[in-house]
């Protein structure tokens, strides 16, 4: 058999083609499958976190909320911990506000130099009474009767599958859920704090 004949026969030989095609397709398929599973896990964790936070928020606004705050926090951590990796960080934040419209609002200040920053001794209204200007005027904790409470949970953990960096995503997942409720009126609401202060 001459060289041209053997070369022609080699070119027509299709044995092993399936293995070669699989080697090309398999990495893409595996990344796709891991991405689907990762996305599904993240969505499930996010839905669970939202549900847990709604329940915890309702429990916190009851008259017994301040007494059972630690137990409520522990329940949130336990339920979220059941679906995220054991080394996940779960951060819970509670800010109480005098009114709903105060939520997410910064403390008012007089911007005398018009730079958009509270500085150079500019006067500000210290709504939360901590002696410094804050981008959020809420007071840490669940507050008292009739206060509006913003309860937020932030969960961070490494992805279950090591495919994120292959497609340019961060290996760390962060999910967040918040709930806003007003404490039950079991008592008179404390007067709003509105002291004057000066920016640093």
């Amino acid at each position: 058999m001459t060289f041209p004949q053997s070369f022609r026969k080699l070119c027509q030989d299709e044995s092993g083609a399936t293995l070669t095609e699989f080697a090309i397709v398999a990495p893409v398929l595996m990344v796709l499958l891991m991405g689907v599973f990762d996305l599904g896990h993240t969505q499930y964790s996010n839905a669970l976190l939202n549900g847990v936070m709604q329940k915890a928020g309702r429990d916190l606004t009851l008259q017994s909320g301040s007494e059972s705050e630690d137990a409520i926090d522990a329940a949130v951590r336990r339920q979220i911990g059941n679906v995220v990796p054991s080394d996940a960080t779960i951060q819970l934040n509670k800010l109480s506000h005098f009114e709903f419209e105060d939520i997410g609002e910064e403390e008012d200040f007089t911007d005398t130099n018009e730079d958009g920053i509270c500085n150079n001794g500019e006067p500000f209204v210290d709504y939360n009474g901590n002696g410094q200007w804050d981008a959020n005027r809420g007071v840490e904790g669940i507050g008292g009767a009739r206060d509006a409470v913003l309860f937020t949970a932030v969960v961070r953990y490494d992805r279950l599958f090591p495919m994120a960096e292959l497609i340019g995503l961060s290996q760390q997942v962060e999910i967040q859920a918040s709930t806003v409720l007003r404490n039950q009126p079991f008592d008179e609401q404390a007067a709003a704090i509105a002291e004057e202060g000066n920016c640093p």
Side-chain angles (χ1 to χ4, degrees), residues 116-181:
I117 302 170
C118 185
N119 56 15
N120 298 326
E122 295 169 331
F124 72 95
V125 181
D126 190 10
Y127 287 98
N128 55 23
N130 65 357
Q132 64 183 28
W133 181 86
D134 294 294
N136 191 317
R137 61 179 67 169
V139 179
E140 288 194 18
I142 62 172
R146 303 174 195 268
D147 285 346
V149 182
L150 172 64
F151 186 18
T152 304
V154 181
V155 182
R156 298 181 184 90
Y157 60 90
D158 288 333
R159 293 182 187 276
L160 300 181
F161 302 99
M163 43 59 72
E165 293 176 354
L166 296 175
I167 56 176
L169 297 177
S170 170
Q171 185 58 28
Q172 190 173 74
V173 176
E174 178 177 305
I175 57 175
Q176 179 174 319
S178 298
T179 184
V180 179
L181 294 164

Side-chain angles (χ1 to χ4, degrees), residues 51-98:
V52 168
M53 289 297 291
Q54 292 297 320
K55 168 80 167 67
R58 288 191 298 270
D59 292 345
L60 275 176
T61 60
L62 298 175
Q63 184 172 355
S64 59
S66 59
E67 299 165 7
S68 54
E69 184 177 356
D70 290 340
I72 292 169
D73 288 355
V76 170
R77 293 179 189 279
R78 183 176 60 253
Q79 291 181 54
I80 296 305
N82 287 336
V83 297
V84 296
S86 57
D87 60 348
T89 61
I90 303 172
Q91 181 182 353
L92 303 178
N93 302 311
K94 303 178 195 79
L95 289 174
S96 64
H97 305 78
F98 189 72

